[in-house]
Amino acid sequence: MAAPTDGGVTRGRTSHGWATDGRTPHGRIPAGWAARIARGTPPHRNRAVDALRAMAMVGVVTGHWLVTGLTVDPRGALHQASPLSAMPVFAPLTWVLQTLGLFFFVSGYAATRGLTRALSGGASVRSWLASRVRRILPPIALFVGAWWLLRLALEASRVEPQTLRTISKLMISPLWFVLVLVLLTLVTPVLVRVEASVGTVAALAALAVVAAVDVAQFAAGVAIPRWLAHLSVPAAWLVPYLLGVARAQGRLGDRRLGPAMAAVGAVAGLVLIGWAGYPASMVGVPGDGRSNIAPPSLLAVALALVQIGLALACWTRLSRLLERPRWWAVVVVLNLSAMTVFLWHQSALLGVSAVGRALLGAPLGLVGPPSGSAWLLGRLLWLPAFAGALALLWLLTRRVEHLGRMPGAGRLPRRRARPPLVVAPD
């Protein structure tokens, strides 16, 4: 994802002349919105990338909703708890739902393609960077501003300090991802040149930084400063980002490479868990003492290699599947406001939890000790409510995400609107 805002749609024909005649290899286009999206998709659009971004987004959001437990102590203070503390058997589920590595891979790919097209069209690197920042910053500013005002209101109401800390932690947690994304976006022109010069050596250098931090912290037992440990944050996600850059520049195209990369990542992951003592969960679990995600460890990179390898292996089949207008329409909808979804999905969980507690006390799966299959079943039943609340937040905030786009970008079609929808550029 060059920015989580890619994949929007706009009405009519852009200055790029992207509207097509709507034909697909499957013959007649079905009537309706899906057909209009199909007719408006530019020929160069890599649909597999958009689908992978949508999968990564769904994985991260669903994973957070499943592992974020909330409890209330006798004083009424709100605490965060993890169901994995009581049910570690479900740790392998985090291997599927922790999809940030796949997300950064797509980010590197989309950013490189967007930069290449901008430069070929006569734009400068500076103008491309400015356009990216304009698309990323408005939704972030709205989110930070809204929660800053809410925090002030909670402080004024003298809410229990522990409750305030729990809410603040959940709200701030999506921002680390955004900060890394902005950093990698800003250095994309440099990364493109570096990758073109030295190839995969660049990714191996970033991997070496993660390995060095892991060895210092856990194998050698060296007490390194916290800021030094957090060098793993940009370094670990730089590995999949650079692989995305390589893919966009025509590398990583060998069909055998995908399965081989997935196998290497899987073997490395098993060795790290079984021999090196890394925790099996790909999300932080209170009481573990170690985390694979804060900061990201070698196991996080190994999982990213597995996911990227599988993506490369399925790339062609996925592209063919998305030639079907209805499947493609679903992907476009999921990509409409990805940044908004990432920023606000924990807010949706907190909002539903607050309302549920006020109306129902401590409903199972929403507020209460996250332990046992009954809690898990209850949480699964609450997922549609979280999704509904997120949809409402999306409707209220989505226009802000498109302030830096071309006019009309990201709008949903109206019933009477007839021009084809055009998928926005990377």
Side-chain angles (χ1 to χ4, degrees), residues 206-216 232 278 298:
L207 180 62
V209 173
V210 182
V213 172
D214 276 15
V215 169
S232 288
Y278 281 61
L298 281 173

Side-chain angles (χ1 to χ4, degrees), residues 103-394:
F103 217 118
F104 279 104
F105 170 73
V106 173
S107 301
Y109 180 96
T112 303
R113 290 290 297 271
L115 175 62
T116 302
R117 281 198 298 272
L119 295 179
S120 64
S124 65
V125 170
R126 170 181 266 180
S127 64
W128 178 81
L129 287 173
S131 70
R132 307 304 289 185
V133 172
R134 283 197 303 269
R135 291 167 62 180
I136 296 174
L137 288 185
I140 299 173
L142 173 64
F143 176 79
V144 172
W147 276 106
W148 180 71
L149 291 175
L150 178 61
R151 181 182 173 88
L152 291 179
L154 291 174
E155 289 177 344
S157 64
R158 298 188 178 183
V159 69
E160 217 282 338
Q162 176 57 45
T163 297
L164 187 59
R165 284 193 293 270
T166 300
I167 293 175
S168 299
K169 182 179 179 181
L170 286 174
M171 291 308 98
I172 293 173
S173 60
L175 293 179
W176 76 262
F177 160 80
V178 175
L179 292 175
V180 177
L181 175 65
V182 171
L183 173 63
L184 294 180
T185 299
L186 292 176
V187 298
T188 294
V190 176
L191 296 177
V192 169
R193 292 195 295 270
V194 169
E195 203 285 329
S197 300
V198 303
T200 56
V201 173
L204 292 176
L207 180 62
V209 173
V210 182
V213 172
D214 276 15
V215 169
Q217 287 192 106
F218 307 123
V222 178
I224 63 175
R226 187 172 179 82
W227 66 266
L228 187 59
H230 278 80
L231 284 178
S232 288
V233 177
W237 303 126
L238 181 57
V239 175
Y241 195 89
L242 281 168
L243 292 177
V245 172
R247 175 71 180 187
Q249 296 194 107
R251 299 176 181 82
L252 307 184
D254 191 327
R255 293 182 179 181
R256 296 169 294 182
L257 182 61
M261 185 181 296
V264 169
V267 171
L270 292 174
V271 170
L272 290 172
I273 294 172
W275 178 73
Y278 281 61
S281 173
M282 291 307 305
V283 297
V285 179
D288 268 8
R290 290 177 60 176
S291 171
N292 286 312
I293 200 67
S297 68
L298 281 173
L299 187 59
V301 179
L303 178 63
L305 292 179
V306 173
Q307 294 171 347
I308 294 169
L310 293 176
L312 293 175
C314 300
W315 196 284
T316 301
R317 292 183 181 179
L318 187 58
S319 297
R320 290 173 181 169
L321 175 65
L322 293 172
E323 289 171 354
R324 301 178 183 180
R326 289 188 177 91
W327 282 103
W328 175 232
V330 172
V331 169
V332 170
V333 170
L334 289 174
N335 277 275
L336 273 172
S337 295
M339 177 67 83
T340 298
V341 170
F342 268 98
L343 289 173
W344 291 94
H345 71 278
Q346 291 290 62
S347 302
L349 181 148
L350 273 175
V352 171
S353 299
V355 173
R357 186 187 175 196
L359 298 178
L360 304 173
L364 186 65
L366 195 60
V367 179
S371 59
S373 57
W375 182 92
L376 181 59
L377 177 60
R379 176 52 61 97
L380 291 173
L381 294 176
W382 279 106
L383 292 185
F386 298 158
L390 180 57
L392 178 60
L393 289 169
W394 175 74

